[in-house]
Amino acid sequence: MNDIEYMRLAIRLAKQGCGWVNPNPMVGAVIVKEGRIIGQGYHKKYGELHAERNALESCTEALSGATLYVTLEPCCHYGKTQPCTKAIIESGIHRILIGSPDSNPLVAGKGIEILRSHGIDVIENIARAECDKLNESFFHYIQEETPYVVMKYAMTMDGKIATRTGKSKWITGPEAQRRVHEDRHRYSAIMVGIGTVIDDDPMLTCRLENGRNPMRIICDTFLRTPLKAKLVTTTRNAQTLIATAVTDKSKHQPYLDAGCEIMVLPQKDNHIDLTILMKKLGERKIDSILLEGGGTLNWSALQSGIVNKVQAYIAAKLFGGSRMSPIKGLGVEDPKEAFLLSKPVITIVGEDILLESEVI
């Protein structure tokens, strides 16, 4: 195996922590000596040992002369665990290959500097694009202190998210639906608007075996969520937060009694201020959100500038009709005013197509 192959093994290891390490990054590590893998590990859960320490603990022979491959720059600060740089220096490892630099201000090159100052040969940017992709939400969150927001919707090839009668189950096939549940496991929270709650009465849980349920967030400016809605009655299964502009605590009480949490926010353009909502969620260490709202919330989110990425699942079907757009609102007046997206990554998911673009 060469350096890239060892790093890709570390990436595969890192992915095993998906959904469990937020708001920390996913990190994998592999230790090689004389062409043999003698240790490997990954960050398994938030608050537990980092990948480097898990890899070091897995070794059964002396590490003098060994090489460490790690997907992210080792930390050099005290948090819930001790600095990984300290453990690496004490181990006797003489060479480290790193995928991504850590943009956390507490690290940001300092980890590499410390390792080099102790005579360790450090090589940077190995398979960097793949390592960076692993932690796109972490890098955004650690720099902006707000969640990385992925706006996801499924539509037919003529751009409809439902039939003329409002039916939308199911537009896409089972493979696409499974991928959505993988993202529900991956991201810290899932967010919808009150229209989706009233029309669809969704659960918004992760249906994967051993999956993790995200926090469920309802954007409900005027507090119209039905008390019988599944998002209210299933708070024992998954946390539900209702973001509203209603300040009357007597109106909050039935939801609080049901186990929901209420977050009161100011209004902006006749809906809750989504920018302030993102700041408050960031303060609570919500690093990422899957936005599964309807057309109204999608438009508001785009206008507010909170959307970082768009996922559009496209089914090989045609519904016809003039309504049921994935993004509603007033819309732009001129093509020059369009929200610009990066060149899409195209993935075939079963019988459907997934287009993914970053918001520029």
Side-chain angles (χ1 to χ4, degrees):
M1 293 175 68
N2 58 34
D3 290 341
I4 297 294
E5 290 171 326
Y6 284 127
M7 188 61 78
R8 284 177 175 160
L9 172 57
I11 291 171
R12 291 196 295 274
L13 289 168
K15 288 179 179 179
Q16 294 183 52
C18 179
W20 303 110
V21 300
N22 309 50
N24 281 355
M26 290 180 277
V27 184
V30 175
I31 301 173
V32 177
K33 184 175 181 179
E34 299 173 353
R36 297 175 292 112
I37 296 174
I38 62 170
Q40 53 187 347
Y42 65 96
H43 185 28
K44 296 180 179 180
K45 192 173 183 180
Y46 177 70
E48 296 184 359
L49 291 179
H50 290 183
E52 299 94 323
R53 287 184 176 271
N54 280 327
L56 290 170
E57 287 195 357
S58 75
C59 292
T60 57
E61 60 181 274
L63 290 167
S64 177
T67 296
L68 170 65
Y69 295 81
V70 61
T71 57
L72 184 70
E73 177 183 358
C75 68
C76 55
H77 63 286
Y78 285 84
K80 290 186 176 294
T81 60
Q82 294 187 14
C84 289
T85 51
K86 182 175 183 291
I88 293 167
I89 292 166
E90 293 172 349
S91 73
I93 285 174
H94 81 293
R95 183 169 176 261
I96 298 179
L97 282 74
I98 296 171
S100 299
D102 191 341
S103 54
N104 185 340
L106 295 174
V107 185
K110 299 183 187 71
I112 292 172
E113 182 180 341
I114 289 171
L115 293 169
R116 284 177 172 157
S117 71
H118 283 78
I120 297 175
D121 181 21
V122 181
I123 302 174
E124 303 174 62
N125 302 321
I126 303 300
R128 177 168 177 178
E130 296 170 62
C131 292
D132 285 353
K133 182 69 175 174
L134 189 64
N135 287 306
E136 58 188 3
S137 58
F138 167 76
F139 291 132
H140 170 86
Y141 173 72
I142 205 67
Q143 294 175 55
E144 304 298 330
E145 299 182 338
T146 57
Y148 182 82
V149 179
V150 179
M151 185 174 78
K152 166 261 167 186
Y153 53 84
M155 66 181 185
T156 60
M157 285 184 68
D158 58 340
K160 304 302 185 301
I161 61 172
T163 66
R164 63 183 176 83
T165 60
K167 295 180 180 180
S168 59
K169 294 182 180 180
W170 296 102
I171 291 177
T172 53
E175 292 87 352
Q177 292 167 33
R178 177 177 175 80
R179 179 151 179 162
V180 170
H181 285 285
E182 290 172 351
D183 280 342
R184 288 183 180 182
H185 170 79
R186 177 187 184 112
Y187 298 117
S188 294
I190 184 168
M191 189 165 78
V192 296
I194 182 59
T196 297
V197 176
I198 292 173
D199 293 343
D200 298 339
D201 193 20
M203 281 277 287
L204 303 181
T205 51
C206 174
R207 315 289 168 77
L208 301 179
E209 185 177 358
N210 299 319
R212 181 197 60 83
N213 287 326
M215 173 191 281
R216 303 173 299 181
I217 302 169
I218 308 171
C219 294
D220 184 3
T221 305
F222 304 109
L223 204 52
R224 297 187 293 130
T225 299
L227 288 171
K228 292 184 179 181
K230 292 173 184 174
L231 293 177
V232 176
T233 61
T234 61
T235 53
R236 289 185 179 180
N237 301 326
Q239 185 178 5
T240 297
L241 183 149
I242 303 175
T244 183
V246 173
T247 58
D248 186 342
K249 292 185 178 181
S250 67
K251 294 183 178 179
H252 298 173
Q253 198 58 49
Y255 299 100
L256 297 174
D257 291 343
C260 298
E261 181 179 352
I262 299 289
M263 180 181 288
V264 178
L265 298 165
Q267 283 192 56
K268 183 178 181 181
D269 299 328
N270 208 38
H271 58 74
I272 57 170
D273 192 320
L274 295 175
T275 302
I276 294 178
L277 173 60
M278 293 302 108
K279 290 179 180 177
K280 288 187 174 293
L281 291 173
E283 291 170 359
R284 296 183 50 165
K285 296 188 177 181
I286 300 298
D287 71 325
S288 51
I289 294 175
L290 185 63
L291 176 58
E292 288 199 31
T296 301
L297 180 58
N298 286 347
W299 171 253
S300 297
L302 285 168
Q303 278 198 312
S304 299
I306 69 168
V307 180
N308 302 106
K309 184 177 184 177
V310 176
Q311 289 182 334
Y313 289 88
I314 303 176
K317 300 174 182 177
L318 302 171
F319 283 173
S322 59
R323 302 175 61 195
M324 302 303 177
S325 169
I327 301 172
K328 295 182 180 179
L330 183 62
V332 300
E333 292 184 2
D334 190 280
K336 295 179 181 179
E337 300 172 355
F339 294 94
L340 299 180
L341 306 176
S342 65
K343 182 179 179 180
V345 174
I346 304 171
T347 307
I348 304 299
V349 185
E351 59 199 49
D352 306 302
I353 298 172
L354 171 61
L355 302 182
E356 295 180 283
S357 292
E358 298 289 328
V359 179
I360 298 174

